[in-house]
Amino acid sequence: MIAKSFLIRVLLVCSIISGFNSLKAQNAMINITARHCTSLDGKWQIIIDPTGAGDWRQVWQERKPEKKTDFIEYSFDGGPVLNVPGDFNTQMTELKYYEGTVWYKKSFNFKSTGNKRLFLHFGAVNYLASVYLNGNLIGTHEGGFTPFHFEITGIVKSGVNTVIVRVNNQRQKDGIPGLGYDWFNYGGITRDVNLVETNSTFISDYFIQLGKHSLKEVNGRVKLDGMNLSQNITIRIPELKVDYKTRSDGEGLSEIKFDSYFKLWSPENPKLYRVIIQSETDTIYDEIGFRSISTQGPKILLNGKQIFLKGINIHEENPLKAARAYSASDALTLLKWAKELGCNMVRLAHYPHNENMIKSAEKLGIMVWDEIPVYQQIEFSAPGVSEKMDLMMREMVSRDKNRCGVIIWSLSNETNSSPERDKALINLTDKCRKLDSTRLVTSVINDESYDNNFVNVWDTLYRHFDIISFNEYLGWYVPWQGKSTDVKWKFISDNKPVVITEFGGEAVFGNNIGPKDEASSWREEYQEQIYKDQVAMFRTIPNLSGVFPWLLADYRSSGRMHPVYQKGWNRKGLLSDKGEKKKAWYILKSYYDTINNIY
Ligand code: GCB
């Protein structure tokens, strides 16, 4: 008896696992802002499942007792509810540090409106998602920070439908990120859920941006999905009197190429145009900006003119709420701070943030560094890892490629040097360039050496990237070996722009106990001195084209365990968790105020 029930459980778990291989999310772009959507945000019922019992009890069947002798050892009814979007950890005290499975349930009413198609779209679920509709698995997705959807045309029924999602945020050795990372592992359905309705043939993808090195030629594409693939396609920009016409081929693909005199997007003039993309069976409205981004030897050029990236790193967390940031108002809280600091760019570390961040940054004139969570200890040679990296890159590019504010795709951060890593990242970089040849592509590395006040940025991987982007913690993890103004540098190439993507140190706002010049006092003065030294050092770096301090605000990270100073927070913020400005804030701000870009 025991053996039999064990076997049934094994079979069930196997069928769930094999589901992961066969029902992957469709990752073509569906631009939900431009479409007829029904939001499934709001209260979802949940079951917390720390042991995974829900898998073999088949929670997705949502069985109810039928006979007097029946009892079912789970139920959504009578249980807790959580808000979607939002992380689960900060919504219930018992989930504070939870890393495991939570089952989510939501019912919706559906009334068929003829010959339409319907998609179930998730902005992001951290980390594994298995999605069931009316008791059947419709698909799975791995990766916590990018959107995915499943078509449910024909499976959705008239009347009440039920979606159940198994969400699991357990760290995976072969996951992306892997087991260790320095941010809080917020789990759950963290971004919006929508039902997206389309016509039977619809515009499934479009890319409308200036071609590389051009200030007036749009070079893009439109893709249709459905049965009626060969159609007349029109791109209109009423403000510019653009009315471009073409036709899609038998595969539903059309190349887009036209000229216009654009007011180019820049931090000083973040101009967006209303663009209408039309086929015979579909119309999409978007707000699109036009700019060019390129490098010329050691310079970064925005619209053909040299620009210095006055950056700041940001995690997707609202420190004032100590929770995952997801809303437009969370985005504005963070981005207005960046603006106040004098930044023209944000590095959205270390994973694609929600679309509110990208869109608000673009409107505020802030350039964006978009990154996938290929972070530190990734198992590059483990089966499936390359495919996961590839998928995340595609999902990021697919979602953000029409956002001109995004100027850099970053494909990894601080991975350990090895032949497997090099092969995987070179491959990924090539694939990314094939998808989008218009932006800069890089990876962040920190394996430079530092001896006798001499920094050697040697990694040959940089040869494959558009910029040399590296992290250095001189004055914090690595003590200075001489005067900051005397640091000497050697780079693997003298003909590429150099960008420092992280530097900084920790300090507790308002702490005034202990010597000012000792790191272990966690005083603001120590962090302030790091910033003074770093700013002085920047003048020694040839081809420096931008800096990104680590980071805007203190953020939660369970590995930061000092009981007095950290309390589960990484304190390298220029702002405290209450939004108070530390002394180092003013050092950076006055440095940025002295840099006058033409823009
Ligand atoms: C780094 C990582 C960043 C960390 C930071 C730190 O190099 O890229 O994710 O959080 O250092 O605070 O140590």
Side-chain angles (χ1 to χ4, degrees):
M1 184 65 189
I2 291 170
K4 189 175 164 206
S5 72
F6 176 74
L7 187 67
I8 289 170
R9 286 176 207 187
V10 169
L11 288 174
L12 280 169
V13 171
C14 287
S15 71
I16 292 161
I17 292 166
S18 68
F20 271 98
N21 296 324
S22 55
L23 288 156
K24 294 275 157 66
Q26 295 132 350
N27 76 328
M29 184 179 85
I30 289 204
N31 183 335
I32 58 160
T33 43
R35 297 195 168 278
H36 181 251
C37 292
T38 307
S39 171
L40 294 188
D41 288 353
K43 305 276 180 217
W44 287 57
Q45 294 174 292
I46 62 144
I47 294 172
I48 303 169
D49 182 9
T51 63
D55 288 338
W56 57 268
R57 291 196 200 280
Q58 298 185 289
V59 161
W60 58 90
Q61 299 283 358
E62 231 210 330
R63 288 173 50 228
K64 308 259 168 96
E66 283 162 12
K67 304 192 292 292
K68 279 187 180 169
T69 51
D70 279 354
F71 61 93
I72 311 283
E73 295 187 73
Y74 67 84
S75 170
F76 284 99
D77 297 334
V81 292
L82 289 177
N83 287 318
V84 168
D87 66 81
F88 57 56
N89 306 86
T90 57
Q91 296 192 51
M92 287 176 68
T93 38
E94 56 266 62
L95 293 177
K96 189 167 179 191
Y97 294 109
Y98 188 70
E99 298 194 351
T101 296
V102 172
W103 297 86
Y104 281 71
K105 179 195 146 180
K106 180 99 176 166
S107 294
F108 63 92
N109 251 305
F110 176 73
K111 210 167 126 232
S112 171
T113 44
N115 199 16
K116 299 276 185 188
R117 292 169 70 179
L118 197 67
F119 297 82
L120 180 57
H121 183 279
F122 293 82
V125 174
N126 191 31
Y127 173 78
L128 293 173
S130 304
V131 182
Y132 299 84
L133 180 69
N134 302 329
N136 298 310
L137 182 66
I138 56 167
T140 63
H141 183 261
E142 178 167 353
F145 304 99
T146 39
F148 59 95
H149 61 264
F150 305 104
E151 180 156 14
I152 55 172
T153 317
I155 338 175
V156 64
K157 56 184 193 199
S158 281
V160 179
N161 289 265
T162 299
V163 182
I164 291 179
V165 188
R166 175 192 190 269
V167 180
N168 183 295
N169 70 332
Q170 232 152 22
R171 291 157 197 260
Q172 316 276 324
K173 198 164 184 291
D174 61 352
I176 298 179
L179 294 177
Y181 40 93
D182 184 22
W183 65 84
F184 195 87
N185 181 14
Y186 292 112
I189 305 181
T190 52
R191 297 186 192 158
D192 302 311
V193 184
N194 279 285
L195 288 169
V196 187
E197 195 181 83
T198 70
N199 286 337
S200 57
T201 299
F202 69 102
I203 299 169
S204 62
D205 201 6
Y206 58 94
F207 183 40
I208 312 275
Q209 293 277 280
L210 289 179
K212 189 91 185 166
H213 300 301
S214 180
L215 301 183
K216 60 189 175 79
E217 190 183 69
V218 168
N219 206 337
R221 56 187 183 266
V222 170
K223 175 96 179 74
L224 301 181
D225 184 298
M227 301 299 281
N228 179 9
L229 291 173
S230 192
Q231 296 194 19
N232 292 320
I233 306 287
T234 310
I235 310 291
R236 285 191 290 129
I237 309 179
E239 201 181 327
L240 295 169
K241 301 197 171 32
V242 168
D243 190 357
Y244 171 81
K245 295 191 187 323
T246 186
R247 205 171 158 77
S248 54
D249 63 17
E251 305 286 300
L253 194 65
S254 53
E255 298 295 322
I256 305 295
K257 223 182 225 307
F258 64 86
D259 277 1
S260 190
Y261 288 99
F262 297 100
K263 276 191 193 129
L264 298 172
W265 184 97
S266 70
E268 274 64 38
N269 182 21
K271 170 75 187 157
L272 301 178
Y273 289 94
R274 186 163 170 77
V275 178
I276 304 157
I277 303 130
Q278 206 158 20
S279 74
E280 291 163 37
T281 55
D282 197 10
T283 306
I284 297 246
Y285 301 89
D286 203 347
E287 301 279 319
I288 297 183
F290 298 89
R291 56 94 195 97
S292 95
I293 187 76
S294 57
T295 61
Q296 188 181 62
K299 296 177 190 164
I300 297 178
L301 307 181
L302 176 70
N303 299 330
K305 295 180 197 146
Q306 187 171 5
I307 190 158
F308 188 87
L309 310 179
K310 298 189 268 186
I312 189 75
N313 281 285
I314 302 184
H315 260 299
E316 193 185 38
E317 181 177 277
N318 183 341
L320 307 177
K321 296 180 183 164
R324 176 63 82 215
Y326 61 84
S327 63
S329 90
D330 288 338
L332 283 181
T333 301
L334 296 163
L335 293 168
K336 283 188 173 164
W337 278 326
K339 265 281 201 220
E340 193 184 338
L341 193 54
C343 299
N344 61 14
M345 184 150 178
V346 290
R347 175 173 176 231
L348 301 182
H350 284 296
Y351 38 78
H353 290 206
N354 64 85
E355 275 192 280
N356 289 311
M357 278 298 273
I358 314 277
K359 289 185 173 168
S360 306
E362 187 171 80
K363 287 201 176 104
L364 290 169
I366 301 176
M367 295 176 284
V368 171
W369 176 294
D370 226 348
E371 187 161 290
I372 52 172
V374 177
Y375 180 90
Q376 295 185 353
Q377 276 97 45
I378 294 291
E379 302 267 313
F380 284 104
S381 47
V385 166
S386 292
E387 288 77 9
K388 291 178 200 175
M389 284 168 35
D390 193 64
L391 180 68
M392 284 181 198
M393 181 274 288
R394 278 171 201 285
E395 288 173 339
M396 171 178 74
V397 173
S398 175
R399 191 193 70 176
D400 294 340
K401 64 181 178 289
N402 289 304
R403 304 284 69 87
C404 71
V406 175
I407 62 160
I408 293 179
W409 302 125
S410 169
L411 303 183
S412 65
N413 177 72
E414 293 191 354
T415 50
N416 294 333
S417 177
S418 72
E420 294 75 26
R421 181 218 45 184
D422 288 6
K423 191 168 162 240
L425 289 182
I426 292 168
N427 206 343
L428 194 65
T429 306
D430 291 347
K431 284 185 181 161
C432 185
R433 285 213 178 91
K434 279 200 188 101
L435 282 183
D436 175 12
S437 63
T438 69
R439 289 175 173 83
L440 310 183
V441 184
T442 195
S443 269
V444 173
I445 292 174
N446 79 328
D447 53 11
E448 63 277 358
S449 63
Y450 180 54
D451 293 302
N452 292 322
N453 221 15
F454 168 74
V455 184
N456 184 1
V457 184
W458 55 266
D459 203 311
T460 52
L461 205 46
Y462 286 119
R463 294 196 177 123
H464 300 267
F465 309 148
D466 292 306
I467 57 178
I468 296 180
S469 38
F470 68 102
N471 299 342
E472 50 86 9
Y473 280 89
L474 295 177
W476 184 250
Y477 294 122
V478 183
W480 294 100
Q481 296 173 3
K483 284 187 24 212
S484 61
T485 45
D486 290 343
V487 180
K488 298 280 178 291
W489 297 86
K490 182 165 184 262
F491 291 97
I492 183 78
S493 162
D494 294 328
N495 204 30
K496 281 187 197 270
V498 170
V499 174
I500 298 183
T501 28
E502 288 179 30
F503 68 92
E506 299 205 27
V508 176
F509 175 81
N511 176 33
N512 54 14
I513 300 161
K516 290 180 183 172
D517 58 350
E518 286 180 17
S520 62
S521 300
W522 304 78
R523 287 188 60 154
E524 283 183 57
E525 288 84 351
Y526 196 86
Q527 185 194 40
E528 182 187 29
Q529 190 58 46
I530 293 176
Y531 274 71
K532 284 182 182 164
D533 291 337
Q534 287 276 345
V535 166
M537 183 194 73
F538 295 156
R539 299 199 177 90
T540 67
I541 306 179
N543 304 334
L544 187 67
S545 292
V547 295
F548 292 78
W550 188 258
L551 82 169
L552 182 68
D554 290 354
Y555 66 99
R556 294 182 62 202
S557 178
S558 312
R560 304 291 176 172
M561 301 180 295
H562 196 288
V564 179
Y565 303 111
Q566 293 178 305
K567 300 177 179 159
W569 288 74
N570 182 318
R571 299 285 181 197
K572 295 192 187 72
L574 292 170
L575 297 167
S576 73
D577 53 6
K578 306 274 181 303
E580 298 135 325
K581 297 182 175 88
K582 301 184 195 172
K583 292 184 193 306
W585 166 284
Y586 299 97
I587 306 300
L588 186 75
K589 177 156 177 50
S590 66
Y591 171 61
Y592 281 168
D593 287 347
T594 63
I595 301 172
N596 280 321
N597 280 309
I598 307 129
Y599 292 97

